[in-house]
Amino acid sequence: VVDALTRVVDGLPGLVWVARGDGRIEFLNRRWREYAGLDTDAPSQAAFAASIHPDDRSRWDERWRDATATNDPWELEVRLRRVDGVHLWFLCRASPLADADGRAVRWCGINTEIDDRHRTEYQLRTKESHFAAWVESFPGLMVTMDRSGTVELFSRELLEYFGRTREELRNWSITDVVHPDDLERVVTAFTQSVTTGTPYSIEHRCRRADGVYRWFQVRALAARGDREEITGWYVVLSDIDEVKRAEDALHRARSELAQVSRATSLSMLTASVAHEVSQPLSGILTNATTCMRYLDAEPPNVDAARETTRRTIRDGNRAAQVIARLRAMFSRSEFTLEAVDLNEAIRELVALSQGDLQRDRVSVRWALDESLPPITGDRVQLQQVVLNLLRNALDAMAGVDERRRQLVIGTARDASDRVRVSIGDTGVGFDGQPPERLFDAFYTTKPDGMGIGLSVSASIIERHHGRLSAMPNDGPGATFSFWLPVRPARDGAGAAALDLPTLAAERAPSP
Amino acid sequence: MSGGSLVSIVDDDECIRESLPDLLRELGYSSRAFSSAEEFLASDTVQGTACLILDVAMPGMTGPELQRELRRRRIEVPIVFITAHQDETLRSRLLAEGAAECLFKPFSERALLDALRSTVGAA
């Protein structure tokens, strides 16, 4: 029976022991003896104590003092020295064998090795403290929150940026640094993410410790547990104030460029208009002078005077028309949508540029699709684009003497619901330059050019949801073209209003 | 048509072709108007022209090109250029290349008369 019992005790998966009521060891099973390298199952107290890690001995002794006082079962985690000198963690559990008075006369215990578990827990703790240290020193503004949004960890930069103490941050809600104008957006986005677990990403202004608001991109990802449940949030706040400012500056520069372009176009147009007005004005002056002479004659030549007066009036109307057209083009400076007849808009522009075309000895070949539907857009801005392409085409042909200088101006209905406007020339082409660079601001191949025309033109066309492109011709020269979507024009009232000045001039009573 | 010196006008602008001959006749000159340099060269008026009032920018042959063509043909005729481009550089260049005068449109009767008197004398 004893042998059988010993085999059982020795076979148990643990270090089994029996101690007297005062804690003195009476018996160790074989596993323990072999583990600790003891050669007897009843070692001296000193030999036994030596197998407990020195750092754990006081806890061990304390536990025994408690146990002998209370006679309650107990457990304790300690490190025990293996025969090779390595200490492994064990969970020691002991139960009392009590006498009739309830006092422990014996203690039976078993120690279970928990070294792996201990190591894992330790690693976890280390990882956690590493993570905390990592968040703490994160080179940026970072904060982690639990499921409910309570702040857990945060980077030092965050602390400094918002000028809070650690204690303040514990109960911190990011909303109290959000710019009031952004608050509603932030709350909406935050609520959305917290309830659905979708990643959070929003740009808004945050108030720095000194009260200055700066733009941030705030992004948060949900941390999830084994069952995909949200366990917390990792939040990173990126300062994008510089970028935001640069964007604003870029936007401003764009509109300034458009202004410059407008002014440049205006000065070109002014020259064209001066030319256009000078012609009828010459007629008016000459006719009126001649008329005076007819009337001053003895006898006055009234018939001839009437004829010159008729011409004077006609030329006067012609000049008025030019001015009316000019007024129609420049009376409105904002982006206004209206139904635009592109053919008509282009013809008007070419009429105004007639002087330049003549001076440069450029002929125009028209290829207009007369059934072109009206598009919805800003007439003046679209005319600026055409004017710009026209000017470029003329410049490209300025040095061409060995062949005809010809503009091919075309409109066509593109496949699907788009119309295309193209302006081809027989100029120098791209001269080996990459066509895509042409649309960069300040890129120019012209010695006296500013290089903003095409870039601004491209942005105007993009604003119309169209696209401006350039292609070298099969023969000499290049063709610039853009397409615009055809959208249902409103009731055409806009177009009618636009044409009013021109129509009024044309409908002026004939002499 | 009066019998004064013949002043020919070459301008593609109809306003000028219509009004200027009347005024020139009133000033005592004879006058003929042409809508292009080619038309003028093809006419029988080239030799008899005492003064040529010539537009600078025209489709086809330009004013300065006609000037060169006349010089090539050794036809000596004083030229008064007229132009709607108020460009002083252009004016200086034309004068430097032998033009008698260059008037910017619109020009006054006085300016025209001065130009004609300095080239062909009073009508």
Side-chain angles (χ1 to χ4, degrees):
Chain A
V1 174
V2 172
D3 272 1
L5 209 58
T6 306
R7 273 204 301 281
V8 169
V9 169
D10 286 344
L12 282 173
L15 313 187
V16 178
W17 52 273
V18 178
R20 292 212 310 244
D22 62 0
R24 199 177 170 79
I25 295 296
E26 270 188 346
F27 169 76
L28 302 177
N29 73 346
R30 185 163 52 87
R31 276 184 195 271
W32 198 343
R33 292 199 301 277
E34 285 170 3
Y35 175 80
L38 299 168
D39 49 13
T40 163
D41 61 1
S44 71
Q45 199 61 19
F48 175 76
S51 66
I52 297 171
H53 193 284
D55 293 351
D56 298 339
R57 269 176 218 160
S58 59
R59 286 195 298 126
W60 176 268
D61 293 342
E62 197 182 327
R63 206 85 191 83
W64 268 112
R65 272 197 300 278
D66 288 354
T68 48
T70 62
N71 301 308
D72 286 337
W74 55 267
E75 57 181 63
L76 183 68
E77 292 179 11
V78 290
R79 283 159 286 183
L80 299 177
R81 195 181 68 189
R82 204 164 57 187
V83 61
D84 59 1
V86 175
H87 286 87
L88 299 183
W89 279 96
F90 281 83
L91 171 65
C92 309
R93 281 174 296 178
S95 305
L97 290 175
D99 60 13
D101 300 332
R103 272 188 321 184
V105 290
R106 291 278 192 286
W107 290 91
C108 299
I110 181 164
N111 304 344
T112 316
E113 197 216 289
I114 53 164
D115 202 67
D116 283 352
R117 202 189 81 200
H118 234 273
R119 203 193 311 278
T120 310
E121 277 172 7
Y122 173 78
Q123 281 169 348
L124 213 59
R125 274 201 304 278
T126 312
K127 256 188 199 153
E128 263 172 19
S129 71
H130 273 172
F131 180 64
W134 181 80
V135 172
E136 165 96 15
S137 59
F138 182 78
L141 309 188
M142 184 180 192
V143 56
T144 72
M145 295 173 173
D146 70 8
R147 198 176 50 216
S148 64
T150 305
V151 170
E152 289 183 321
L153 302 168
F154 38 81
S155 63
R156 208 173 303 117
E157 284 199 18
L158 185 94
L159 210 62
E160 284 160 9
Y161 186 88
F162 292 112
R164 306 288 165 123
T165 64
R166 285 171 189 277
E167 287 63 41
E168 280 170 335
L169 265 188
R170 295 285 172 203
N171 298 311
W172 183 61
S173 157
I174 192 168
T175 49
D176 69 277
V177 293
V178 174
H179 193 282
D181 293 350
D182 300 335
L183 194 56
E184 196 182 324
R185 265 186 326 119
V186 169
V187 169
T188 308
F190 188 75
T191 312
Q192 155 92 12
S193 284
V194 167
T195 50
T196 62
T198 49
Y200 173 88
S201 176
I202 186 170
E203 290 178 5
H204 63 78
R205 284 156 287 182
C206 287
R207 195 179 61 241
R208 199 164 57 187
D210 60 3
V212 173
Y213 281 99
R214 287 176 70 84
W215 277 98
F216 277 86
Q217 187 191 37
V218 181
R219 304 200 317 164
L221 276 181
R224 291 177 188 273
D226 303 342
R227 296 180 304 283
E228 283 300 300
E229 80 282 11
I230 296 173
T231 55
W233 291 91
Y234 301 127
V235 189
V236 173
L237 297 85
S238 320
D239 189 328
I240 54 164
D241 205 63
E242 304 288 323
V243 178
K244 207 75 180 167
R245 271 172 218 287
E247 267 175 18
D248 286 352
L250 191 67
H251 188 73
R252 269 199 305 281
R254 270 269 156 129
S255 52
E256 275 161 21
L257 279 182
Q259 287 292 326
V260 171
S261 161
R262 201 177 190 86
T264 317
S265 309
L266 191 62
S267 80
M268 290 170 186
L269 261 183
T270 308
S272 305
V273 169
H275 179 264
E276 282 294 294
V277 176
S278 301
Q279 304 275 24
L281 224 45
S282 296
I284 291 167
L285 260 179
T286 309
N287 282 312
T289 309
T290 313
C291 182
M292 279 283 280
R293 290 187 163 270
Y294 287 145
L295 293 175
D296 285 346
E298 261 324 314
N301 187 345
V302 176
D303 287 344
R306 184 175 292 116
E307 171 59 16
T308 51
T309 306
R310 192 192 62 74
R311 288 189 214 144
T312 306
I313 294 170
R314 187 207 54 203
D315 290 349
N317 275 328
R318 226 180 99 180
Q321 273 181 41
V322 173
I323 288 163
R325 255 184 281 161
L326 185 72
R327 191 180 295 131
M329 283 186 76
F330 289 98
S331 56
R332 297 147 314 126
S333 53
E334 292 307 305
F335 189 77
T336 40
L337 290 179
E338 59 199 83
V340 180
D341 178 348
L342 284 171
N343 287 344
E344 198 262 332
I346 294 169
R347 281 200 194 96
E348 182 178 90
L349 201 76
V350 173
L352 283 170
S353 307
Q354 206 56 49
D356 291 334
L357 296 178
Q358 280 180 11
R359 186 196 57 209
D360 291 354
R361 301 171 55 208
V362 171
S363 59
V364 175
R365 188 153 70 77
W366 292 98
L368 301 182
D369 176 358
E370 294 302 337
S371 66
L372 202 70
I375 60 110
T376 306
D378 184 304
R379 182 187 162 92
V380 174
Q381 291 202 356
L382 291 173
Q383 282 186 317
Q384 281 190 10
V385 173
V386 174
L387 178 68
N388 186 253
L389 298 184
L390 206 70
R391 300 290 329 172
N392 284 345
L394 295 190
D395 290 347
M397 292 190 286
V400 171
D401 287 312
E402 67 281 10
R403 58 176 176 269
R404 208 143 70 116
R405 302 178 185 173
Q406 190 179 51
L407 274 178
V408 182
I409 302 176
T411 56
R413 190 161 187 156
D414 239 2
S416 75
D417 272 339
R418 306 199 307 210
V419 297
R420 179 171 290 278
V421 174
S422 58
I423 295 186
D425 62 57
T426 55
V428 292
F430 303 133
D431 217 7
Q433 302 298 328
E436 60 275 11
R437 285 218 55 195
L438 295 169
F439 301 100
D440 291 352
F442 302 111
Y443 179 79
T444 181
T445 55
K446 299 178 204 164
D448 56 350
M450 287 179 70
I452 57 174
L454 275 177
S455 138
V456 172
S457 294
S459 65
I460 290 176
I461 294 301
E462 273 159 30
R463 223 172 140 187
H464 283 82
H465 307 286
R467 187 124 187 93
L468 178 63
S469 56
M471 285 277 289
N473 290 341
D474 283 339
T479 297
F480 282 78
S481 66
F482 58 86
W483 61 256
L484 296 170
V486 178
R487 269 169 301 169
R490 289 171 302 178
D491 52 10
L498 178 83
D499 283 340
L500 267 180
T502 317
L503 290 174
E506 279 165 7
R507 284 175 189 158
S510 303
Chain B
M1 183 178 272
S2 66
S5 314
L6 177 60
V7 176
S8 294
I9 303 159
V10 178
D11 196 322
D12 63 315
D13 181 21
E14 205 197 340
C15 288
I16 298 290
R17 292 203 307 276
E18 228 175 32
S19 59
L20 204 50
D22 282 356
L23 179 60
L24 288 170
R25 276 192 286 273
E26 280 304 297
L27 295 173
Y29 299 94
S30 343
S31 173
R32 280 194 64 185
F34 302 88
S35 66
S36 71
E38 290 85 350
E39 195 191 331
F40 173 69
L41 285 173
S43 75
D44 54 5
T45 319
V46 181
Q47 294 296 341
T49 295
C51 176
L52 180 60
I53 296 181
L54 181 57
D55 189 20
V56 174
M58 291 182 290
M61 188 183 279
T62 65
E65 283 169 351
L66 176 58
Q67 180 188 32
R68 281 194 286 278
E69 178 59 20
L70 292 173
R71 195 175 294 146
R72 197 185 63 78
R73 296 187 187 188
R74 302 190 189 286
I75 297 169
E76 295 291 334
V77 55
I79 295 176
V80 174
F81 278 106
I82 54 177
T83 177
H85 287 285
Q86 299 231 357
D87 183 345
E88 283 297 339
T89 328
L90 172 73
R91 185 172 185 274
S92 323
R93 201 172 66 226
L94 290 171
L95 293 178
E97 282 172 17
E101 184 52 278
C102 175
L103 302 176
F104 293 134
K105 297 178 189 177
F107 44 82
S108 66
E109 179 193 355
R110 168 65 31 210
L112 180 67
L113 257 180
D114 288 350
L116 289 175
R117 284 192 179 138
S118 68
T119 52
V120 290

Short mmCIF file of all heavy atoms in Angstrom, two decimals, chain B residues 40-81:
data_model
loop_
_atom_site.label_atom_id
_atom_site.label_comp_id
_atom_site.label_asym_id
_atom_site.label_seq_id
_atom_site.Cartn_x
_atom_site.Cartn_y
_atom_site.Cartn_z
N PHE B 40 -3.78 97.36 -107.14
CA PHE B 40 -3.08 98.58 -107.54
C PHE B 40 -1.99 98.28 -108.57
O PHE B 40 -1.90 98.95 -109.60
CB PHE B 40 -2.48 99.25 -106.30
CG PHE B 40 -1.60 100.42 -106.61
CD1 PHE B 40 -2.13 101.60 -107.11
CD2 PHE B 40 -0.22 100.36 -106.39
CE1 PHE B 40 -1.31 102.69 -107.40
CE2 PHE B 40 0.61 101.43 -106.67
CZ PHE B 40 0.05 102.61 -107.18
N LEU B 41 -1.19 97.24 -108.28
CA LEU B 41 -0.08 96.89 -109.19
C LEU B 41 -0.61 96.51 -110.57
O LEU B 41 0.03 96.77 -111.59
CB LEU B 41 0.75 95.75 -108.60
CG LEU B 41 1.68 96.13 -107.45
CD1 LEU B 41 2.32 94.87 -106.85
CD2 LEU B 41 2.76 97.11 -107.93
N ALA B 42 -1.79 95.90 -110.60
CA ALA B 42 -2.36 95.44 -111.87
C ALA B 42 -3.02 96.58 -112.64
O ALA B 42 -3.36 96.42 -113.81
CB ALA B 42 -3.37 94.33 -111.59
N SER B 43 -3.19 97.71 -111.98
CA SER B 43 -3.91 98.81 -112.65
C SER B 43 -2.97 99.64 -113.52
O SER B 43 -1.75 99.47 -113.48
CB SER B 43 -4.55 99.71 -111.60
OG SER B 43 -3.53 100.50 -110.99
N ASP B 44 -3.56 100.55 -114.29
CA ASP B 44 -2.73 101.42 -115.13
C ASP B 44 -2.39 102.71 -114.41
O ASP B 44 -1.96 103.67 -115.00
CB ASP B 44 -3.48 101.72 -116.44
CG ASP B 44 -4.88 102.28 -116.17
OD1 ASP B 44 -5.19 102.52 -114.97
OD2 ASP B 44 -5.64 102.48 -117.12
N THR B 45 -2.60 102.73 -113.11
CA THR B 45 -2.45 103.97 -112.35
C THR B 45 -1.06 104.11 -111.74
O THR B 45 -0.68 105.19 -111.30
CB THR B 45 -3.51 104.00 -111.22
OG1 THR B 45 -4.73 103.51 -111.75
CG2 THR B 45 -3.73 105.41 -110.71
N VAL B 46 -0.32 103.02 -111.71
CA VAL B 46 0.95 103.01 -110.99
C VAL B 46 1.88 104.13 -111.46
O VAL B 46 2.40 104.91 -110.65
CB VAL B 46 1.66 101.65 -111.14
CG1 VAL B 46 2.96 101.62 -110.37
CG2 VAL B 46 0.74 100.53 -110.66
N GLN B 47 2.04 104.20 -112.75
CA GLN B 47 2.97 105.19 -113.29
C GLN B 47 2.52 106.63 -113.02
O GLN B 47 3.33 107.47 -112.72
CB GLN B 47 3.13 104.99 -114.81
CG GLN B 47 3.82 103.67 -115.18
CD GLN B 47 5.27 103.60 -114.68
OE1 GLN B 47 5.88 104.63 -114.37
NE2 GLN B 47 5.82 102.39 -114.59
N GLY B 48 1.20 106.89 -113.12
CA GLY B 48 0.71 108.27 -113.00
C GLY B 48 0.53 108.75 -111.58
O GLY B 48 0.22 109.92 -111.36
N THR B 49 0.75 107.89 -110.62
CA THR B 49 0.49 108.27 -109.23
C THR B 49 1.57 109.22 -108.71
O THR B 49 2.75 108.93 -108.77
CB THR B 49 0.45 107.02 -108.34
OG1 THR B 49 -0.67 106.23 -108.75
CG2 THR B 49 0.31 107.36 -106.87
N ALA B 50 1.09 110.37 -108.19
CA ALA B 50 2.04 111.36 -107.66
C ALA B 50 2.33 111.07 -106.19
O ALA B 50 3.40 111.37 -105.69
CB ALA B 50 1.46 112.76 -107.80
N CYS B 51 1.35 110.47 -105.54
CA CYS B 51 1.54 110.12 -104.12
C CYS B 51 0.65 108.92 -103.82
O CYS B 51 -0.47 108.83 -104.31
CB CYS B 51 1.17 111.30 -103.23
SG CYS B 51 1.26 110.90 -101.48
N LEU B 52 1.19 108.01 -102.99
CA LEU B 52 0.44 106.80 -102.66
C LEU B 52 0.09 106.82 -101.16
O LEU B 52 0.98 106.92 -100.32
CB LEU B 52 1.29 105.57 -102.99
CG LEU B 52 0.66 104.19 -102.71
CD1 LEU B 52 -0.63 103.99 -103.50
CD2 LEU B 52 1.67 103.09 -103.04
N ILE B 53 -1.21 106.79 -100.89
CA ILE B 53 -1.64 106.64 -99.49
C ILE B 53 -1.87 105.16 -99.28
O ILE B 53 -2.72 104.55 -99.93
CB ILE B 53 -2.90 107.47 -99.21
CG1 ILE B 53 -2.59 108.97 -99.38
CG2 ILE B 53 -3.42 107.19 -97.80
CD1 ILE B 53 -3.77 109.89 -99.11
N LEU B 54 -1.07 104.58 -98.39
CA LEU B 54 -0.99 103.12 -98.33
C LEU B 54 -1.22 102.58 -96.92
O LEU B 54 -0.55 102.98 -95.97
CB LEU B 54 0.42 102.71 -98.83
CG LEU B 54 0.75 101.22 -98.88
CD1 LEU B 54 -0.24 100.44 -99.74
CD2 LEU B 54 2.18 101.05 -99.42
N ASP B 55 -2.17 101.69 -96.82
CA ASP B 55 -2.43 101.02 -95.54
C ASP B 55 -1.28 100.05 -95.24
O ASP B 55 -0.71 99.46 -96.16
CB ASP B 55 -3.77 100.24 -95.64
CG ASP B 55 -4.23 99.69 -94.30
OD1 ASP B 55 -3.76 100.21 -93.26
OD2 ASP B 55 -5.05 98.76 -94.30
N VAL B 56 -0.93 99.92 -93.99
CA VAL B 56 0.20 99.05 -93.63
C VAL B 56 -0.22 97.58 -93.66
O VAL B 56 0.39 96.75 -94.33
CB VAL B 56 0.75 99.41 -92.23
CG1 VAL B 56 1.83 98.42 -91.81
CG2 VAL B 56 1.31 100.84 -92.25
N ALA B 57 -1.28 97.24 -92.89
CA ALA B 57 -1.65 95.82 -92.73
C ALA B 57 -2.82 95.49 -93.65
O ALA B 57 -3.89 96.06 -93.52
CB ALA B 57 -2.03 95.54 -91.28
N MET B 58 -2.56 94.58 -94.56
CA MET B 58 -3.63 94.14 -95.47
C MET B 58 -3.45 92.66 -95.71
O MET B 58 -2.35 92.14 -95.64
CB MET B 58 -3.52 94.88 -96.81
CG MET B 58 -3.86 96.36 -96.73
SD MET B 58 -3.78 97.13 -98.34
CE MET B 58 -2.02 97.10 -98.63
N PRO B 59 -4.55 91.98 -95.95
CA PRO B 59 -4.42 90.57 -96.34
C PRO B 59 -3.66 90.50 -97.67
O PRO B 59 -3.76 91.43 -98.47
CB PRO B 59 -5.85 90.08 -96.51
CG PRO B 59 -6.75 91.22 -96.23
CD PRO B 59 -5.94 92.46 -96.03
N GLY B 60 -2.94 89.46 -97.88
CA GLY B 60 -2.13 89.38 -99.10
C GLY B 60 -0.92 90.26 -98.94
O GLY B 60 -0.30 90.28 -97.87
N MET B 61 -0.57 91.01 -99.99
CA MET B 61 0.63 91.85 -99.93
C MET B 61 0.40 93.02 -98.98
O MET B 61 -0.61 93.71 -99.08
CB MET B 61 0.98 92.35 -101.34
CG MET B 61 2.31 93.06 -101.41
SD MET B 61 2.64 93.71 -103.07
CE MET B 61 3.24 92.28 -103.89
N THR B 62 1.33 93.21 -98.05
CA THR B 62 1.17 94.31 -97.09
C THR B 62 1.69 95.61 -97.70
O THR B 62 2.34 95.60 -98.77
CB THR B 62 1.97 94.03 -95.81
OG1 THR B 62 3.36 94.01 -96.17
CG2 THR B 62 1.58 92.69 -95.20
N GLY B 63 1.43 96.72 -96.99
CA GLY B 63 1.92 98.02 -97.45
C GLY B 63 3.42 98.05 -97.66
O GLY B 63 3.90 98.38 -98.76
N PRO B 64 4.20 97.67 -96.62
CA PRO B 64 5.65 97.69 -96.79
C PRO B 64 6.13 96.77 -97.92
O PRO B 64 7.13 97.08 -98.60
CB PRO B 64 6.16 97.18 -95.45
CG PRO B 64 5.09 97.55 -94.48
CD PRO B 64 3.80 97.44 -95.23
N GLU B 65 5.41 95.67 -98.14
CA GLU B 65 5.80 94.78 -99.25
C GLU B 65 5.56 95.45 -100.59
O GLU B 65 6.36 95.31 -101.53
CB GLU B 65 5.02 93.46 -99.15
CG GLU B 65 5.59 92.54 -98.09
CD GLU B 65 4.70 91.35 -97.77
OE1 GLU B 65 3.54 91.31 -98.25
OE2 GLU B 65 5.16 90.47 -97.04
N LEU B 66 4.45 96.19 -100.68
CA LEU B 66 4.19 96.94 -101.93
C LEU B 66 5.28 97.98 -102.15
O LEU B 66 5.76 98.18 -103.27
CB LEU B 66 2.80 97.61 -101.85
CG LEU B 66 2.43 98.50 -103.04
CD1 LEU B 66 2.47 97.73 -104.37
CD2 LEU B 66 1.04 99.12 -102.85
N GLN B 67 5.68 98.63 -101.03
CA GLN B 67 6.75 99.63 -101.12
C GLN B 67 8.02 99.02 -101.71
O GLN B 67 8.64 99.57 -102.62
CB GLN B 67 7.03 100.19 -99.72
CG GLN B 67 8.13 101.24 -99.67
CD GLN B 67 8.48 101.61 -98.24
OE1 GLN B 67 8.41 100.79 -97.32
NE2 GLN B 67 8.85 102.88 -98.06
N ARG B 68 8.38 97.81 -101.20
CA ARG B 68 9.57 97.12 -101.71
C ARG B 68 9.40 96.73 -103.17
O ARG B 68 10.32 96.84 -103.97
CB ARG B 68 9.86 95.88 -100.85
CG ARG B 68 10.56 96.23 -99.54
CD ARG B 68 11.15 94.98 -98.87
NE ARG B 68 10.11 94.15 -98.27
CZ ARG B 68 9.58 94.39 -97.07
NH1 ARG B 68 9.98 95.42 -96.35
NH2 ARG B 68 8.64 93.59 -96.59
N GLU B 69 8.19 96.28 -103.50
CA GLU B 69 7.91 95.85 -104.87
C GLU B 69 8.08 97.03 -105.84
O GLU B 69 8.66 96.89 -106.91
CB GLU B 69 6.50 95.26 -104.96
CG GLU B 69 6.06 94.82 -106.36
CD GLU B 69 6.96 93.75 -106.99
OE1 GLU B 69 7.69 93.06 -106.24
OE2 GLU B 69 6.98 93.65 -108.23
N LEU B 70 7.56 98.20 -105.41
CA LEU B 70 7.67 99.39 -106.27
C LEU B 70 9.14 99.78 -106.45
O LEU B 70 9.58 100.12 -107.55
CB LEU B 70 6.88 100.56 -105.65
CG LEU B 70 5.35 100.37 -105.66
CD1 LEU B 70 4.68 101.50 -104.86
CD2 LEU B 70 4.80 100.34 -107.09
N ARG B 71 9.89 99.65 -105.33
CA ARG B 71 11.31 100.00 -105.40
C ARG B 71 12.02 99.04 -106.35
O ARG B 71 12.87 99.45 -107.14
CB ARG B 71 11.92 99.93 -104.00
CG ARG B 71 13.26 100.62 -103.90
CD ARG B 71 13.74 100.63 -102.46
NE ARG B 71 12.90 101.45 -101.60
CZ ARG B 71 12.65 101.17 -100.32
NH1 ARG B 71 13.17 100.11 -99.75
NH2 ARG B 71 11.88 101.95 -99.60
N ARG B 72 11.61 97.75 -106.25
CA ARG B 72 12.21 96.74 -107.13
C ARG B 72 11.93 97.09 -108.59
O ARG B 72 12.76 96.91 -109.47
CB ARG B 72 11.64 95.36 -106.78
CG ARG B 72 12.45 94.18 -107.31
CD ARG B 72 11.76 92.86 -107.04
NE ARG B 72 10.47 92.75 -107.72
CZ ARG B 72 10.32 92.46 -109.01
NH1 ARG B 72 11.37 92.25 -109.76
NH2 ARG B 72 9.11 92.38 -109.55
N ARG B 73 10.73 97.60 -108.82
CA ARG B 73 10.36 97.97 -110.20
C ARG B 73 10.88 99.36 -110.57
O ARG B 73 10.51 99.91 -111.61
CB ARG B 73 8.84 97.97 -110.35
CG ARG B 73 8.19 96.60 -110.16
CD ARG B 73 6.71 96.68 -110.50
NE ARG B 73 6.04 95.42 -110.16
CZ ARG B 73 4.78 95.15 -110.49
NH1 ARG B 73 4.06 96.04 -111.17
NH2 ARG B 73 4.24 94.01 -110.16
N ARG B 74 11.64 99.93 -109.65
CA ARG B 74 12.21 101.27 -109.86
C ARG B 74 11.14 102.32 -110.13
O ARG B 74 11.29 103.19 -110.97
CB ARG B 74 13.24 101.26 -111.01
CG ARG B 74 14.35 100.27 -110.75
CD ARG B 74 15.50 100.40 -111.71
NE ARG B 74 16.42 99.28 -111.54
CZ ARG B 74 17.25 99.18 -110.50
NH1 ARG B 74 17.27 100.12 -109.58
NH2 ARG B 74 18.05 98.14 -110.40
N ILE B 75 10.06 102.19 -109.42
CA ILE B 75 9.01 103.20 -109.49
C ILE B 75 9.14 104.09 -108.27
O ILE B 75 8.97 103.64 -107.14
CB ILE B 75 7.61 102.55 -109.54
CG1 ILE B 75 7.48 101.70 -110.80
CG2 ILE B 75 6.51 103.62 -109.48
CD1 ILE B 75 6.28 100.81 -110.83
N GLU B 76 9.54 105.34 -108.49
CA GLU B 76 9.75 106.27 -107.40
C GLU B 76 8.45 107.01 -107.14
O GLU B 76 8.05 107.85 -107.93
CB GLU B 76 10.85 107.28 -107.74
CG GLU B 76 12.22 106.65 -107.90
CD GLU B 76 12.77 106.13 -106.57
OE1 GLU B 76 12.38 106.66 -105.51
OE2 GLU B 76 13.57 105.17 -106.60
N VAL B 77 7.77 106.64 -106.06
CA VAL B 77 6.56 107.37 -105.71
C VAL B 77 6.55 107.60 -104.20
O VAL B 77 6.81 106.68 -103.44
CB VAL B 77 5.30 106.60 -106.17
CG1 VAL B 77 5.25 105.19 -105.64
CG2 VAL B 77 4.01 107.35 -105.83
N PRO B 78 6.31 108.87 -103.80
CA PRO B 78 6.25 109.11 -102.35
C PRO B 78 5.07 108.37 -101.73
O PRO B 78 3.99 108.32 -102.31
CB PRO B 78 6.08 110.62 -102.23
CG PRO B 78 5.73 111.11 -103.59
CD PRO B 78 6.11 110.09 -104.60
N ILE B 79 5.35 107.76 -100.55
CA ILE B 79 4.31 106.96 -99.89
C ILE B 79 3.95 107.56 -98.54
O ILE B 79 4.84 107.84 -97.72
CB ILE B 79 4.77 105.50 -99.71
CG1 ILE B 79 4.96 104.84 -101.08
CG2 ILE B 79 3.76 104.70 -98.87
CD1 ILE B 79 5.51 103.43 -101.03
N VAL B 80 2.65 107.78 -98.34
CA VAL B 80 2.15 108.16 -97.01
C VAL B 80 1.44 106.93 -96.46
O VAL B 80 0.40 106.53 -96.96
CB VAL B 80 1.19 109.36 -97.09
CG1 VAL B 80 0.58 109.64 -95.71
CG2 VAL B 80 1.91 110.59 -97.64
N PHE B 81 2.06 106.33 -95.45
CA PHE B 81 1.42 105.15 -94.83
C PHE B 81 0.30 105.60 -93.90
O PHE B 81 0.41 106.65 -93.24
CB PHE B 81 2.43 104.33 -94.03
CG PHE B 81 3.25 103.40 -94.89
CD1 PHE B 81 4.60 103.67 -95.19
CD2 PHE B 81 2.67 102.23 -95.40
CE1 PHE B 81 5.34 102.81 -95.97
CE2 PHE B 81 3.42 101.37 -96.18
CZ PHE B 81 4.75 101.66 -96.49
#
